[in-house]
Amino acid sequence: DNTFVLGLTVVSAYVEELDDKFNENRKSEPWLVEFYAPWCEYCKTFEPIWYDVGAELKSLGSPVNVGKLDTTAHSSVLSDFNIRGYPAIILVKGEKSFEYRGPRTKDGIIEFTNRVAGPVVRPLTSAQLFQHVLSRHDLFFLYIGGRSPLKGQYHKVAAEFIIYNYFFSASEEVLPQAVSLQEVPSIAVFKDGTYYLYNEKRDGNLSDWVGRERFRCYFQMDSFTLYQMGETTKLVALAIVDETNPTTESVRYKALMEKVATEYRDHYNTNFQFGYMQGNDYINGFIMGELALPSLIVMNMTIDGYYLPEQKVETMEELLQFLNSVLNGRSKLLGGNGYVRRMKRLYYRVTSAVKTGFASAPFVTCFLLSLPVGLVVMIVWGVCTAVPVDEDKADEGALLATGTRPAASQRKRTEQTSNESKKED
């Protein structure tokens, strides 16, 4: 235990606790900052990972400083950042800030930091350097050629998507003979063991093309990936499987999805992103129901909608029919983000949280639920047991408060004055 505490103390030395002065000091050097709140339970769980990130970047000789900032104690700093949840991880370079939207893992955060902290577009000056990048990265974009208006567009788009992908530039001589270009300058994306060239007439706006191509054709997705899908125009076709207990059907679903993603890429790539997902927990929350394992689903993350096959899919032909029915509107769109649907989703999340709380900590959950009930009971009890105030006294008190004498008192004084006058007479 003492060794663990000592180790935690050592790595935490590489993470600086920031305050209100951060906005003044951030412009001189890059910072990777965790914005947290003391009441956030996940922030506490995430803390050892964050300390490991700080220690790892220090050992790599990174110029990026690592810090953490309590947003409840230093709220003035938040004006320059759009914090939507905790912990929020943001890399700050001068006036610019880049939010990390991937899994909260040490490797993922360090990869993000190294990518964003460096040049937006990195030059590849030799064939050996190109081969090194090709072997190290599953996906990257490459500009081939010299100065041109296209290169200016490429740099702008790279600055937009650097939080997700690497962007490089090279001359035509650096590329292997296997890479065949139709013209120079060109832009290519290397992924899935091959490459695809950008064609403005066919693919439209460069930014839109990069947004569609920044994922591999088929891969395992998680909640972070699906969140990013909401920023694209693509539908997400998923095989939902349980890999801890694989079945013949789940293996077939994954194989079908991968095959349609690769062999039918030219037909479906513009409209669909293909992949698979482990477990149905996230999907159940999305559809507010129970999706059997394994299953196939197509999701529209932009509007929180989804499509389900009307019958069981067992062959490639049946899968293609399902995808085509989604595209031509024959398949029924379920879900959505209308007002009623949002209220139902809120209710579902609350009830799910209560069920989870009862399962993990029933006594604590009962106590928390009893607090608002107890408050209501106290208010009702206070109203029912309140002592009624006499109306005359209430009127008198109100008049005295305004400096006005009650009418009864004024009549009494008038009578007394009249009697005294009669005695004098």
Side-chain angles (χ1 to χ4, degrees), residues 16-34:
E16 185 174 342
E17 190 74 39
L18 303 174
D19 54 26
D20 293 325
K21 296 181 181 179
F22 173 65
N23 273 339
E24 302 174 9
N25 303 328
R26 75 183 207 188
K27 299 177 183 179
S28 57
E29 48 192 357
W31 280 90
L32 182 67
V33 183
E34 176 207 1

Side-chain angles (χ1 to χ4, degrees), residues 168-184:
F168 298 94
S169 64
S171 63
E172 189 177 3
E173 294 74 23
V174 167
L175 302 180
Q177 293 182 352
V179 179
S180 176
L181 302 178
Q182 298 174 350
E183 59 182 358
V184 176

Side-chain angles (χ1 to χ4, degrees), residues 70-100:
D70 181 355
T71 58
T72 62
H74 309 289
S75 57
S76 60
V77 181
L78 300 182
S79 58
D80 291 346
F81 306 99
N82 182 22
I83 306 300
R84 292 173 290 184
Y86 297 110
I89 300 169
I90 296 178
L91 189 139
V92 183
K93 292 170 61 177
E95 296 294 337
K96 296 181 179 180
S97 60
F98 307 84
E99 183 176 1
Y100 175 65

Side-chain angles (χ1 to χ4, degrees), residues 224 227 380:
F224 295 101
Y227 179 80
V380 173

